[in-house]
Each structure stands twice: as C-alpha cells, then as structure tokens.
Amino acid sequence: MINNRLNEATIGSAKVIVDILPAGEVIPDTKITPTSITIHNTGNIGAAAWNNHNYMKNCNKSGDRIASWHFTVDDKEIYQAQSTNYKCYHAGCTNGNNTSIGIEICMFDDAERQKKAYLNAIELVKILIKYHG
C-alpha cells in the first residue's frame, strides 16, 4: 500500500483494481483514522466483485441505497473504492464508520470459489493490518 491505496498487482489469487469513487451520495469526503476492519458478506449469491463495485458506483450517483465500503473481494478480483483513510458507510453506526475499513466478500454457491474469496480477503486483511499497524 502507498498513501492508503493498494499498489499490489495481485493479492492472493486476485487481481487488484483500484477505482476510487468520487465524493457523492454514499461516498462522503471525510477523513478517518482507521483502527479496525469490518468484514461483511455481500448477501447476493453469484454476483462478482465487479458487480458489487458497480452497484455502489451507481448508488453513489443516485442515492438509492446509502451504503459504501472500501474493498470488494471475490475469487478473482479485489476492487478498492475508497482510500482507507476516508469514511465509508458500512458499519451500521457512526463510530464504526468513523474508525473502520469496510470489506465486502462476495458469496458463491460453489464452495471452491467461496474458499478462494475468503483466502483473498485474508491476504487483504494482512496487508491492511501491516500498513495501519
């Protein structure tokens, strides 16, 4: 990581795509000092990281759903949508959003794909812990 953004080409078995979203409906322009990581599953089986990332991009323009997160992870890709020192709306409470990095792990019916997504998320978390201490 450099300047709160991934600079690795791959993490685990996943290609890294850094696509920082501009301030908008779900991306506030608010700096934070992260002290924790909040991990969720996306809740929509079969949708890849690209799908979930683009959903957030669309919500950032429309405001249809006020939710955002820093990273979306699947078995093949990791998308970064926000620098880790900026706030996203993922933790369900103000304090959590003000102190936590949000990771969404994609869900799959295929056990092998799911395992790879989890392993990629683990490798991402290792990088975040090392970078943020």
Side-chain angles (χ1 to χ4, degrees), residues 23-107:
E25 295 294 321
V26 301
I27 300 290
D29 190 22
T30 306
K31 281 198 166 190
I32 64 169
T33 301
T35 58
S36 62
I37 300 169
T38 302
I39 299 174
H40 298 275
N41 284 335
T42 58
N44 53 344
I45 295 173
W50 179 86
N51 301 101
N52 287 285
H53 179 76
N54 281 323
Y55 171 71
M56 180 175 36
K57 262 179 136 168
N58 291 332
C59 287
N60 196 39
K61 295 174 188 171
S62 68
D64 287 343
R65 178 174 179 233
I66 304 301
S68 55
W69 49 92
H70 297 85
F71 301 96
T72 311
V73 180
D74 71 16
D75 57 325
K76 297 176 184 168
E77 297 177 323
I78 296 173
Y79 277 83
Q80 182 174 8
Q82 185 56 276
S83 297
T84 56
N85 64 332
Y86 277 83
K87 180 177 183 174
C88 286
Y89 298 125
H90 60 88
C93 65
T94 300
N95 186 50
N97 291 331
N98 287 338
T99 60
S100 182
I101 296 167
I103 299 174
E104 290 282 340
I105 302 173
C106 297
M107 299 174 67

Side-chain angles (χ1 to χ4, degrees), residues 73-75 105-106 108 113-121:
V73 180
D74 71 16
D75 57 325
I105 302 173
C106 297
F108 302 103
R113 285 189 79 187
Q114 191 65 59
K115 179 180 176 182
K116 285 181 183 177
Y118 285 138
L119 292 173
N120 291 337

